[in-house]
Amino acid sequence: MPERAEVVVVGGGVMGVATAYWLARFGRDVVLLEARRLGSGASTRSAGLVLGRSSGLEDLSILRTLVADEEIDAQYQEPGHLALASSERVLERIREEIRRRPPSASPLCLLDHDGCEELLGMRINAGYLGGRWLPYAGVVHPARLLYGLARAAIRRGALIAQQAPVTRLTVNPNGDGAIVDTPSARIRARRVVLACGIGTRRLWRGLRNVLTAARGQMLATAPMRPLFRVGLAVDWGTAYWRQADDGAVILGGCRGPDDVSEASARPMLNEAIQSRLTSFLPRTFPDFPPVTVARRWAGIMDETPDGRPLAGACTPAGDLWLLAGFGGHGLPPALGVAHALVQEMIYEQRVPELEPFDPLRFPEVAR
């Protein structure tokens, strides 16, 4: 461990690793500290769906270009994404989204029930009235992406330390950087970026009433014959799934009435939700083959009161920065948001696309 660093990033999930990568790529001296192993939190527990949106922060070309430039074998593909609509209300929201979509955004189509069946090549439960078809959407192996990005950051000069929990963070009151303590070292940093999910609350008390925990349940089937060539969801993510390269279907969601019980930071399995996940595919697709579940797991997401993440400086001197509150949707914007944050840090100019995510919209964040 060095005694000094220009920037210390706390958290080895996709946000932290992406930030370390961009800092190293800009030639900055950066140290990343991860309490356990890289990706041991929510970042590698997702389905790996990457939906390109109208914001430049979620432009698929960023991910596409990076995995090619850094030769990362992340199994990245762009097969498109279909979200089945369970009600007329959802269909109307899709119509409104299409009407409001800017010309620069990627195409978005509304399919009727028959169109969804034709796209998937299988029968769909009649309760689904249609679907939101996004032709340009990606899928990626989240763990392969994370570790490939970490290796690229190291090649560019970043230092990454695993099994290095931060025991104390002290921001100097005179604006002269911060002190980061671990069990084996003390690092004096000019700037610190906190990107450790719900654990960020422990290091910065101003977040204790801003970030809340939400548990998500997932499973993976045993390998199956090719059934889904696109990424899928119901409505706006009440269920979501894709079929991986090895044939396993990775499925999450189905929280239903269990929102209250899932407001927890403990990564435990919820038997009721897992049961709904197990029966979801046969209920949705009448001709679906028998399902054998190979793995079940849970991941912890961090959410904010207004549903928008925190991305930016939270001290007047710009010595403490936050990347948190992405609510289980951190993978798609990770590279774009981290790049924008690093630009703000280096050039000391606000990036307009980050303004809605300003942590100081919650006054208590500044302590």
Side-chain angles (χ1 to χ4, degrees):
M1 291 279 197
E3 293 184 357
R4 294 183 179 274
E6 184 175 357
V7 185
V8 169
V9 178
V10 183
V14 66
M15 282 292 171
V17 172
T19 303
Y21 169 80
W22 289 119
L23 283 165
R25 186 159 171 171
F26 274 94
R28 266 37 187 191
D29 168 33
V30 56
V31 175
L32 184 147
L33 304 175
E34 163 55 40
R36 293 173 291 174
R37 292 184 61 82
L38 294 182
S40 57
S43 290
T44 57
R45 303 183 186 208
S46 74
L49 300 170
V50 187
L51 278 62
R53 300 188 186 276
S54 56
S55 167
L57 298 175
E58 298 188 35
D59 188 341
L60 293 181
S61 66
I62 302 174
L63 177 54
R64 184 191 313 125
T65 301
L66 187 141
V67 297
D69 289 350
E70 300 293 354
E71 299 181 347
I72 300 174
D73 180 17
Q75 298 178 357
Y76 179 67
Q77 304 169 51
E78 294 182 10
H81 183 272
L82 176 67
L84 300 175
S86 65
S87 68
E88 183 59 42
R89 182 179 62 85
V90 174
L91 285 180
E92 184 52 39
R93 283 186 62 185
I94 298 171
R95 295 187 188 102
E96 181 64 21
E97 181 185 10
I98 293 172
R99 286 193 291 267
R100 293 177 175 272
R101 201 165 178 83
S104 59
S106 57
L108 175 62
C109 309
L110 175 61
L111 303 181
D112 60 16
H113 180 90
D114 291 345
C116 293
E117 290 189 331
E118 182 179 355
L119 177 68
L120 296 183
M122 64 176 72
R123 287 199 301 145
I124 302 173
N125 186 302
Y128 295 100
L129 307 181
R132 176 185 183 274
W133 169 235
L134 192 63
Y136 298 102
V139 295
V140 70
H141 190 303
R144 285 175 174 265
L145 174 64
L146 179 71
Y147 275 83
L149 192 58
R151 285 191 288 269
I154 291 168
R155 286 196 303 269
R156 292 179 179 273
L159 187 155
I160 294 180
Q162 301 183 96
Q163 306 294 341
V166 173
T167 54
R168 185 178 181 184
L169 170 66
T170 306
V171 178
N172 296 330
N174 59 1
D176 187 25
I179 298 173
V180 182
D181 287 305
T182 76
S184 62
R186 165 170 286 186
I187 305 175
R188 298 182 182 275
R190 182 182 172 195
R191 294 188 175 99
V192 174
V193 180
L194 298 181
C196 42
I198 197 65
T200 311
R201 295 187 307 188
R202 180 179 61 84
L203 296 174
W204 191 248
R205 67 172 181 264
L207 295 172
R208 290 176 186 173
N209 296 320
V210 174
L211 286 183
T212 56
R215 185 168 53 209
Q217 302 287 325
M218 298 197 69
L219 63 76
T221 71
M224 308 181 75
R225 62 178 175 83
L227 294 163
F228 302 114
R229 63 176 181 83
V230 304
L232 292 118
V234 169
D235 297 339
W236 308 103
T238 53
Y240 48 90
W241 68 102
R242 73 177 179 95
Q243 189 163 20
D245 285 3
D246 65 358
V249 177
I250 304 166
L251 170 68
C254 293
R255 291 173 71 173
D258 292 86
D259 279 355
V260 174
S261 65
E262 291 295 272
S264 170
R266 299 180 64 189
M268 299 172 57
L269 295 181
N270 181 314
E271 292 184 6
I273 297 177
Q274 287 290 334
S275 177
R276 291 197 289 272
L277 287 171
T278 302
S279 62
F280 173 81
L281 292 171
R283 283 188 288 108
T284 305
F285 305 102
D287 303 322
F288 205 80
V291 173
T292 300
V293 176
R295 291 182 56 226
R296 303 180 188 271
W297 67 94
I300 305 303
M301 302 170 284
D302 50 325
E303 300 179 338
T304 64
D306 62 8
R308 300 197 309 258
L310 310 173
C314 64
T315 56
D319 42 16
L320 184 64
W321 298 68
L322 297 177
L323 279 172
F326 285 83
H329 299 282
L331 179 61
L335 291 172
V337 168
H339 184 262
L341 186 93
V342 169
Q343 284 184 306
E344 283 198 351
M345 190 181 296
I346 293 173
Y347 301 118
E348 298 182 353
Q349 290 183 333
R350 192 68 173 153
V351 175
E353 288 181 313
L354 285 187
E355 289 181 2
F357 309 148
D358 185 356
L360 296 181
R361 68 184 187 273
F362 299 108
E364 59 267 45
V365 170
R367 295 208 297 187

